[in-house]
């Protein structure tokens, strides 16, 4: 029985192993079918990208390093093949490594030599986010031909920049080159990611411009329990009201739960469909290790979007290998949980297998038995060769220097425009100066997933003369808000409106530092206007005006002004506390009731008082019907003095205060009219600015600054004319002698001979005079040196050491001058005949004398 049981168990095990093998074969067949389908369907290739043919690019002008391999590169390829053999032998279940694809010239190049570290001369590209943003905007994404296998070719970053297209590997190599050049510890990564990452599908993600910053919850202050506490007051609140509030709260909570359920249903609908190639889609991105450039934590960069991701991000599903310009590492860690559990210590030989172990890191070895067999078959030369390979250094990059012109850096996007679709949003980007109105970015927010109903539009501008920076338009309320940079003609900071028509709802914010009156904000509608001030000497911070309805239009015959302005009904002003005055004398609020001819004053509260002092003035006409002047009476002013029951009986002070307030009321009316006129002026200027938008150009931008270019060309022409005039004004060696015969166009042979002889004689005399002058200076210096020498012979016993040094220094200077004069004299004697013969030759060939001299 025991033997039968063993046989049955062996049969069951065989059946199980056969079943597992059949399942594995079925899975491999299904995977091959999927690979074939995917390779045929080419999934989701945009039409504009698919039309481009890389085989048609011109490679004739590329450097020789693109078309051939140096001896060191050939040796590197041999080492890579040997490394790949060992890797496939030890890891037969893993896919082949991405080691040496062909470049644009069809030549195999190792991936590390395709990385060309470059620091470009732009401030923005000195930081990783600037580099990533530039690469994602400048290049157009091309999907891989097969989403589950790496590409067969890897072009140089220079070619990718030239044609502004590439796949994820092209993006990563270019970005890694820029980051290494900027000082980051960056690496290209060959791995696997989700369909959304690989296909640049942002339609299920919220636009970064719409993300709200996370609020940090504040920890509540714990109240310390006290031993002796005051008893709380009795609860006098109605229980019925509490029940009603609880009922309302329950209804609100139920509505919130229903809303959350609906949102959950929507999110279920929005969830991406199951990907049959999940975990198999090949992708390349950039790894930035912590340490250099003060990077606190290791992170990923998706080159398609330029966004950073944590190494724990669930969208990155595994890593095959990483490389930079110095070496190549293979990941030996298990990626069953994606990249969450990976340790990015490239110096760990267990987790990361290095290819070139020049830094004392062991190369991947075979098992013990196989190693013994291999060693028995090898000879000493092979062992020496392997050791040499292990200490091999990476050859320099074969890629030409990466260069980006200022115009290309400014244009960024391919053809100057780029569109990105997000969840219920569309983001459009333009190059500066591409749009006549200065528009560089526009975000359109939609209410539905199909992006048909527009909710809001945000626009960003650059280089506008009116300093407009951003505009928000709410399509549901038709409310427009414009934001301005400092420097607007009228100091505008923001402007909210529904229409640019006057006396409609407007909210204008100003840069109060640029205004004399300290105005910060003005809010106006058809019958009200409120102004807010900051930093005024009179402590005014709010002024509120109310207007009445207009009457019929009245035009005065002798004036151009229209007196049909809105009648002012009330002016209210609020003041901050002035500590230099007593509280009951410092006005906190004053109201001018224009139609009722009343003025209300409210003062600030005094310490330990709950009521404020007040004064109400009732204005009367200056004179009655008979022409008699009206005297101030106690009934014209009602006063309440906080903390005192006595009435102020001094009418003179009240009369003067009323007169001052009446005068200030007139000034306030003028200021209100000025505010109304300023609003009309701002609306008119804004309408003109939007009708004819003007863009500013820097004086250093010589390509676009037409005015500066014209000035430069005019200056250049002036300099050329000046130089030409100077050349024309050069001395003519015949001019002094031609004057003697009267500048005749025709002369006799005797006159020509006379001019020639006079010119040669003059040169001869000048050369002799110059030699004589040098000879005289030479003789004078020699005589001076002789005198010095004679004086020294007579007095050398009486001289100190310092005086002897001074004497020797003076003599050496004279001797040096004698030497120079001797050289000049010798040179003049040698060159004088040559100068004489040269002038004689010029005179013989001079067109003014040649026809008369003949062969003389």
């Amino acid at each position: 029985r025991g033997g039968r049981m063993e046989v049955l168990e062996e049969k069951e095990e065989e059946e199980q192993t056969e079943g597992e093998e059949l399942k594995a074969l079925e899975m491999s067949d299904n995977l091959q079918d999927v690979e074939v389908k995917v390779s045929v369907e080419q999934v989701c290739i945009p039409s504009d990208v698919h039309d481009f043919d890389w085989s048609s690019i011109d490679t004739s002008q590329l450097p020789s390093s693109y078309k051939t391999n140096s001896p060191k590169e050939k040796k590197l390829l041999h080492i890579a093949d040997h490394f790949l053999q060992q890797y496939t032998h030890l890891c037969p279940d893993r896919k082949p490594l991405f080691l040496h694809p062909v470049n644009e010239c069809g030549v195999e190049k190792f991936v590390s030599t395709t990385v060309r570290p470059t620091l470009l001369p732009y401030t923005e590209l000195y930081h990783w986010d600037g580099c990533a943003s530039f690469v994602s905007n400048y290049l157009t994404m091309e999907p891989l031909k097969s989403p589950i296998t790496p590409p067969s070719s890897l072009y140089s970053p220079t070619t990718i920049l030239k044609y502004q297209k590439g796949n994820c590997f092209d993006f990563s190599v270019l970005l890694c080159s820029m980051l290494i050049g900027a000082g980051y510890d960056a690496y290209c990564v060959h791995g696997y990611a989700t369909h959304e990452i690989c296909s640049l599908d942002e339609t299920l993600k919220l636009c970064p411009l719409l993300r709200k910053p996370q609020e940090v919850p504040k920890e509540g202050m714990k109240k310390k329990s006290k031993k002796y506490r005051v008893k709380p007051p009795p609860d006098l609140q109605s229980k019925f009201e509490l029940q009603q509030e609880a009922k309302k709260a329950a209804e609100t909570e139920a509505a919130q739960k229903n809303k959350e359920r609906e949102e959950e249903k929507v999110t279920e609908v929005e969830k991406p469909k199951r990907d049959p190639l999940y975990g198999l889609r090949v992708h390349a991105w950039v790894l930035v290790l912590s340490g250099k450039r003060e990077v606190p934590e290791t992170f990923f960069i998706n080159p398609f979007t330029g966004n950073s991701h944590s190494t724990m991000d669930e969208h990155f599903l595994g890593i095959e290998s990483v490389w930079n310009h110095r070496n190549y590492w293979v990941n030996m860690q298990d990626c069953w949980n994606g990249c969450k559990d990976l340790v990015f210590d490239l110096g760990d030989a267990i987790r990361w297998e290095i290819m070139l172990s020049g830094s004392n890191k062991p190369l991947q070895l075979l098992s013990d038995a196989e190693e013994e067999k291999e060693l028995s078959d090898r000879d000493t030369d092979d062992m020496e060769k392997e050791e040499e390979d292990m200490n091999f250094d990476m050859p320099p990059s074969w890629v030409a220097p990466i260069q980006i012109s200022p115009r290309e850096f400014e244009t960024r996007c391919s053809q100057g425009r780029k569109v990105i679709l997000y969840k219920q949003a569309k983001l459009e980007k333009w190059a500066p100066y591409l749009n006549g109105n200065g528009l560089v970015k526009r975000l359109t927010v939609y209410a539905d997933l199909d992006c048909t109903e527009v909710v809001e539009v945000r626009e960003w501008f650059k280089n506008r003369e009116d300093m407009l920076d951003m505009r928000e338009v709410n399509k549901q309320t038709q409310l427009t808000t414009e934001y301005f940079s400092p420097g607007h003609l009228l100091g505008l900071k923001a402007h909210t409106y529904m229409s640019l028509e006057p006396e409609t709802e407007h909210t204008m914010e100003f840069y109060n530092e640029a205004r004399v009156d300290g105005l910060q904000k003005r809010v106006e509608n058809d019958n009200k206007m409120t102004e807010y001030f900051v930093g005024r000497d009179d402590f005014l911070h709010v002024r509120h005006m109310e207007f009445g309805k207009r009457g019929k239009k009245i035009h005065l015959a002798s004036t151009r002004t229209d007196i049909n302005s809105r009648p002012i009904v009330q002016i209210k002003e609020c003041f901050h506390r002035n500590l230099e005055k007593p509280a009951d004398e410092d006005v906190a609020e004053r109201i001018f009731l224009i139609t009722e001819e009343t003025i209300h004053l409210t003062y600030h509260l005094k310490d330990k008082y709950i009521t404020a002092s007040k004064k109400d003035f009732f204005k009367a006409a200056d004179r009655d019907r008979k022409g008699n002047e009206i005297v101030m009476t106690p009934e014209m002013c009602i006063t309440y003095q906080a903390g005192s029951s006595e009435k102020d009986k001094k009418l003179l002070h009240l009369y003067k205060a009323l007169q001052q307030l009446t005068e200030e009321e007139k000034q306030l009316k003028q200021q209100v009219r000025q505010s109304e006129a300023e609003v009309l002026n701002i609306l008119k200027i804004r309408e003109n600015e939007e009708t004819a938008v003007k863009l500013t150009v820097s004086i250093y931008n010589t390509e676009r600054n037409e005015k500066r270019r014209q000035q430069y060309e005019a200056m250049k022409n002036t300099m050329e004319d000046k130089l030409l005039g100077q050349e024309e004004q050069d001395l003519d060696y015949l001019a002094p002698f031609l004057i003697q015969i009267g500048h005749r166009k025709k002369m006799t042979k005797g006159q020509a001979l006379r001019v020639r002889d006079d010119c040669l004689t003059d040169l001869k005399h000048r050369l002799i005079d110059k030699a004589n002058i040098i000879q005289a200076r030479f003789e004078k210096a020699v005589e001076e040196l002789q005198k010095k020498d004679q004086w020294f012979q007579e007095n050398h016993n009486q001289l100190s050491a310092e005086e002897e040094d001074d004497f020797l220094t003076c003599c050496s200077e004279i001797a040096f001058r004698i030497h120079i004069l001797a050289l000049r004299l010798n040179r003049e004697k040698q060159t004088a005949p040559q100068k004489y013969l040269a002038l004689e030759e010029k005179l013989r060939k001079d067109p003014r004398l040649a026809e008369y001299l003949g062969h003389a």
Side-chain angles (χ1 to χ4, degrees):
R1 288 180 182 178
R4 289 180 183 177
M5 290 295 292
E6 290 176 0
V7 171
L8 290 173
E9 288 177 357
E10 290 177 358
K11 286 184 178 180
E12 288 178 358
E13 289 178 359
E14 290 177 359
E15 290 176 357
Q16 288 179 358
T17 54
E18 289 178 358
E20 291 176 356
E21 290 176 357
L22 288 173
K23 288 181 181 178
L25 290 173
E26 289 176 0
M27 290 175 66
S28 63
D29 292 340
N30 294 334
L31 183 58
Q32 290 177 0
D33 294 339
V34 171
E35 290 180 2
V36 171
K37 290 180 182 178
V38 168
S39 62
V40 173
E41 293 175 0
Q42 295 289 325
V43 295
C44 303
I45 297 180
S47 58
D48 57 342
V49 175
H50 184 68
D51 293 338
F52 188 77
D53 184 14
W54 282 102
S55 62
S56 63
I57 64 175
D58 183 18
T59 59
S60 60
Q61 303 298 324
L62 295 176
S64 59
S65 60
Y66 285 61
K67 302 173 183 179
T68 57
N69 280 322
S70 65
K72 200 169 184 180
E73 287 180 305
K74 291 178 181 178
K75 186 174 182 180
L76 176 63
L77 294 176
H78 176 73
I79 295 172
D81 290 335
H82 180 65
F83 181 81
L84 183 60
Q85 289 177 5
Q86 290 183 327
Y87 172 77
T88 53
H89 183 81
L90 288 177
C91 306
D93 297 334
R94 292 183 64 171
K95 291 189 176 182
L97 296 174
F98 187 66
L99 286 173
H100 44 70
V102 297
N103 64 358
E104 53 266 45
C105 296
V107 179
E108 287 188 357
K109 295 287 186 179
F110 191 70
V111 290
S112 292
T113 60
T114 309
V115 178
R116 177 65 186 259
T118 304
L119 177 61
L120 293 166
Y122 303 103
T123 308
E124 184 180 343
L125 301 185
Y126 187 62
H127 303 280
W128 74 263
D129 50 351
C131 295
S133 175
F134 173 79
V135 172
S136 62
N137 290 328
Y138 191 78
L139 301 183
T140 302
M141 170 262 187
E142 281 187 343
L144 297 173
K145 293 182 178 179
S146 175
I148 59 176
T149 56
S152 59
S153 61
L154 182 65
Y155 292 172
S156 64
T158 54
T159 300
I160 297 302
L161 285 170
K162 180 179 179 181
Y163 295 97
Q164 292 188 254
K165 298 176 185 294
N167 55 41
C168 54
F169 286 85
D170 300 321
F171 274 65
S172 300
V173 170
L174 174 59
L175 179 56
C176 188
S177 300
M178 296 170 65
L179 291 176
I180 294 174
Y184 289 93
D185 191 10
Y187 302 82
C188 297
V189 181
H190 164 213
Y192 305 92
T194 59
H195 180 264
E196 292 77 17
I197 294 288
C198 297
S199 60
L200 190 55
D201 185 5
E202 302 284 307
T203 54
L204 298 179
K205 294 183 179 179
L206 188 66
C207 178
L209 298 174
L210 296 175
R211 294 173 187 165
K212 296 180 180 178
Q214 296 181 354
E215 296 181 358
V216 180
K218 296 181 180 180
E219 296 181 359
M221 297 293 292
K222 295 181 180 179
K223 295 182 179 180
K224 296 181 180 180
S225 58
K226 296 181 180 180
K227 184 177 180 180
Y228 302 100
R229 291 180 297 177
V230 180
K231 291 184 178 181
D235 187 7
L236 302 177
Q237 194 172 3
S238 171
K239 293 182 179 180
F240 177 75
E241 290 180 355
L242 292 175
Q243 291 176 357
Q244 294 297 319
E245 290 178 0
K247 189 176 179 181
K248 288 182 181 179
E251 292 177 356
T252 306
E253 186 177 356
Q256 184 68 22
K257 287 183 178 180
N258 292 332
K259 186 178 179 181
E260 290 177 358
R261 290 173 186 171
E262 292 178 359
E263 290 178 354
E264 288 178 359
K265 291 180 181 179
V266 171
T267 52
E268 287 292 333
V269 174
E270 294 175 358
K271 281 185 178 179
K273 297 179 181 179
R274 183 181 174 277
D275 184 13
L277 298 178
Y278 182 82
L280 300 175
R281 293 187 181 273
V282 174
H283 189 57
W285 63 92
V286 174
L287 165 69
V288 180
L289 296 183
S290 60
K292 287 188 177 181
R293 289 296 305 272
E294 299 181 358
V295 176
E297 188 177 355
T298 300
F299 64 95
F300 295 149
I301 301 177
N302 183 13
F304 282 163
T305 61
N307 298 330
S308 63
H309 299 265
S310 169
T311 55
M312 310 287 288
D313 196 321
E314 59 184 7
H315 291 91
F316 298 92
L317 306 178
I319 292 177
E320 288 283 357
S321 60
V322 301
W323 67 90
N324 62 0
H325 64 300
R326 297 184 183 277
N327 220 321
Y328 189 94
W329 293 265
V330 180
N331 178 31
M332 306 305 294
Q333 304 171 74
D334 195 351
C335 296
W336 67 272
N337 196 22
C339 300
K340 296 179 181 178
D341 300 331
L342 297 185
V343 177
F344 293 97
D345 180 12
L346 300 182
D348 190 341
I350 298 176
R351 293 185 172 93
W352 296 93
E353 189 60 48
I354 192 170
M355 195 184 82
L356 301 179
S357 54
S359 54
N360 299 325
K361 293 185 178 66
L363 212 113
Q364 180 67 279
L365 299 176
L366 303 176
S367 61
D368 295 339
E370 292 171 342
E371 186 178 8
E372 290 177 2
K373 184 179 179 181
E374 289 289 329
L375 289 173
S376 63
D377 297 337
R378 291 180 185 174
D379 54 8
T380 309
D381 295 338
D382 293 338
M383 291 289 293
E384 292 177 355
K385 186 177 180 182
E386 184 177 357
E387 290 178 0
E388 185 180 353
D389 292 346
M390 291 174 66
N391 296 322
F392 183 79
D393 292 331
M394 186 70 65
S397 177
W398 55 272
V399 179
I402 299 174
Q403 297 178 349
I404 300 173
S405 66
R407 190 63 179 268
E408 292 171 343
F409 179 73
E410 185 185 68
T411 304
R412 297 290 178 94
C413 311
S414 179
Q415 299 179 354
R417 183 175 183 266
K418 188 167 188 176
V419 180
I420 306 174
L421 298 178
Y422 293 98
K423 178 182 176 182
Q424 298 180 351
K426 179 175 70 172
L427 180 62
E428 301 168 90
K429 297 179 181 179
W430 289 273
Y433 299 102
L434 187 65
N435 295 319
N437 60 351
L439 181 65
V440 294
K441 188 163 57 175
R442 177 166 58 202
L443 175 65
T444 307
V445 183
Y446 299 92
D448 55 341
L449 291 174
D450 297 331
C451 297
T452 56
E453 183 183 352
V454 180
V455 176
E456 183 183 2
V457 177
R458 300 181 188 177
E459 296 176 333
W460 286 264
F461 302 87
K462 274 187 178 180
N463 306 310
R464 283 186 58 136
E465 198 173 85
D466 58 3
M467 308 305 292
L468 179 63
D469 186 53
M470 180 185 175
R471 179 186 289 134
E472 294 180 355
V473 181
N474 191 325
K475 293 295 183 180
Q476 295 178 339
T477 61
Q478 299 301 319
L479 196 66
T480 302
T481 304
E482 297 175 339
Y483 299 92
F484 299 84
S485 300
H488 188 269
L489 178 65
L490 303 170
L492 267 179
K493 184 177 183 180
H495 184 199
T496 303
Y497 60 92
M498 296 181 67
S499 171
L500 288 177
E501 293 295 324
E503 298 181 13
T504 56
E505 292 189 6
H506 292 276
T507 301
M508 299 179 183
E509 295 183 28
F510 301 88
Y511 290 97
N512 58 283
E513 302 90 351
R515 294 183 63 99
V516 179
D517 56 358
L519 180 63
Q520 186 184 38
K521 184 179 178 181
R522 180 184 285 131
V523 182
E524 184 194 24
N525 56 22
D526 56 345
N527 58 359
K528 292 180 182 179
M529 180 188 291
T530 305
E531 295 177 336
Y532 301 87
F533 301 89
V534 173
R536 285 178 63 110
D537 295 336
D538 58 359
F539 298 93
L540 174 68
H541 67 93
V542 176
R543 180 184 291 148
H544 179 74
M545 293 81 77
E546 293 184 6
F547 304 95
K549 294 183 179 180
R550 277 192 177 87
K552 294 182 179 180
K553 287 187 177 182
I554 302 174
H555 294 277
L556 298 179
S558 59
T559 61
R560 297 181 181 178
T561 57
D562 181 10
I563 63 171
N564 190 38
S565 55
R566 294 178 295 179
I568 303 173
V569 176
Q570 175 182 320
I571 301 175
K572 176 182 176 182
E573 290 186 325
C574 300
F575 299 85
H576 288 301
R577 179 78 172 88
N578 184 2
L579 298 177
E580 295 181 358
K581 294 182 180 180
D584 53 358
E585 295 180 8
D586 186 15
V587 177
E589 178 183 284
R590 63 182 185 182
I591 303 174
F592 297 89
L593 299 175
I594 310 298
T595 55
E596 300 177 8
E597 295 190 347
T598 305
I599 301 173
H600 298 289
L601 298 181
T602 303
Y603 296 88
H604 284 279
L605 284 171
K606 293 194 294 185
D607 293 339
K608 301 179 182 180
Y609 281 80
I610 60 173
T611 57
S613 302
K614 295 184 179 181
K615 287 182 182 178
D616 295 337
F617 291 93
F618 302 94
K619 294 189 295 183
D622 294 339
R623 298 180 181 274
D624 57 8
R625 294 179 180 178
K626 297 180 179 180
N628 299 324
E629 186 176 354
I630 297 178
V631 182
M632 182 75 180
T633 60
E635 290 78 13
M636 294 175 64
C637 179
I638 300 176
T639 303
Y640 166 71
Q641 190 71 23
S644 176
S645 59
E646 298 181 0
K647 294 183 179 180
D648 191 355
K649 297 181 180 180
K650 297 179 180 179
L651 295 179
L652 179 61
H653 298 292
L654 297 176
Y655 178 70
K656 289 183 177 180
L658 180 58
Q659 281 186 329
Q660 184 179 357
L661 289 172
T662 304
E663 185 63 28
E664 290 180 355
E665 181 180 331
K666 294 179 182 178
Q667 295 176 1
L668 280 176
K669 287 181 181 179
Q670 293 179 358
Q671 292 178 2
V672 171
R673 297 307 179 195
Q674 290 175 1
S675 298
E676 288 183 296
E678 185 181 15
V679 170
L680 294 176
N681 186 34
I682 291 174
L683 295 178
K684 185 178 180 181
I685 289 175
R686 285 296 303 129
E687 188 175 358
N688 294 336
E689 288 174 344
E690 289 299 326
T691 303
V693 177
K694 295 181 181 179
L695 301 181
T696 58
V697 181
S698 172
I699 61 172
Y700 303 106
N701 192 338
T702 55
E703 293 183 4
R704 290 194 177 91
N705 198 325
E706 187 67 21
K707 183 178 179 181
R708 181 65 177 169
R709 189 176 61 81
Q710 291 176 358
Q711 290 177 354
Y712 175 75
E713 290 180 355
M715 183 179 66
K716 185 178 178 182
N717 295 333
T718 304
M719 290 297 295
E720 289 178 354
D721 295 341
K722 187 176 180 181
L723 291 174
L724 184 62
Q726 286 180 354
E727 291 177 359
E728 291 177 353
Q729 292 175 3
D730 286 343
L731 293 177
D732 185 7
Y733 53 87
L734 279 179
F737 309 100
L738 292 174
I739 291 176
Q740 297 176 8
I741 61 172
H743 273 297
R744 295 177 183 178
K745 292 184 178 180
K746 290 185 178 183
M747 63 182 75
T748 62
K749 185 176 181 180
Q751 291 174 337
L753 288 172
R754 179 186 169 188
V755 168
R756 184 197 68 172
D757 294 340
D758 290 346
C759 186
L760 291 173
T761 304
D762 181 73
L763 175 63
K764 183 178 179 180
H765 290 319
R766 284 193 290 110
L767 292 174
I768 293 172
D769 292 342
K770 187 175 181 182
N772 291 335
I773 293 172
I774 297 174
Q775 181 70 31
R777 291 178 179 175
F778 175 78
E779 292 175 354
K780 184 178 179 182
V782 171
E783 184 180 356
E784 184 180 358
L785 183 61
Q786 290 175 353
K787 289 181 179 179
K788 289 280 185 184
D789 184 56
Q790 184 180 358
W791 178 84
F792 179 74
Q793 293 296 336
E794 295 175 355
N795 303 309
H796 72 279
N797 294 327
Q798 302 175 3
L799 296 177
S800 63
E802 293 180 357
E803 290 175 339
E804 286 185 2
D805 292 339
D806 294 340
F807 175 80
L808 293 175
T809 302
C810 182
C811 290
S812 62
E813 291 178 356
I814 298 172
F816 179 74
R817 189 162 72 247
I818 291 172
H819 177 69
I820 295 298
L821 289 171
L823 291 176
R824 289 182 61 187
L825 183 61
N826 188 30
R827 184 181 61 186
E828 288 297 327
K829 290 180 179 179
Q830 292 178 355
T831 58
Q834 298 175 0
K835 292 179 180 178
Y836 185 87
L837 294 174
L839 181 59
E840 189 177 17
E841 183 68 17
K842 283 183 180 180
L843 292 173
R844 190 175 66 83
K845 295 180 179 180
D846 193 294
R848 293 170 288 184
L849 302 177
E851 61 177 325
Y852 305 108
L853 295 177
H855 298 284

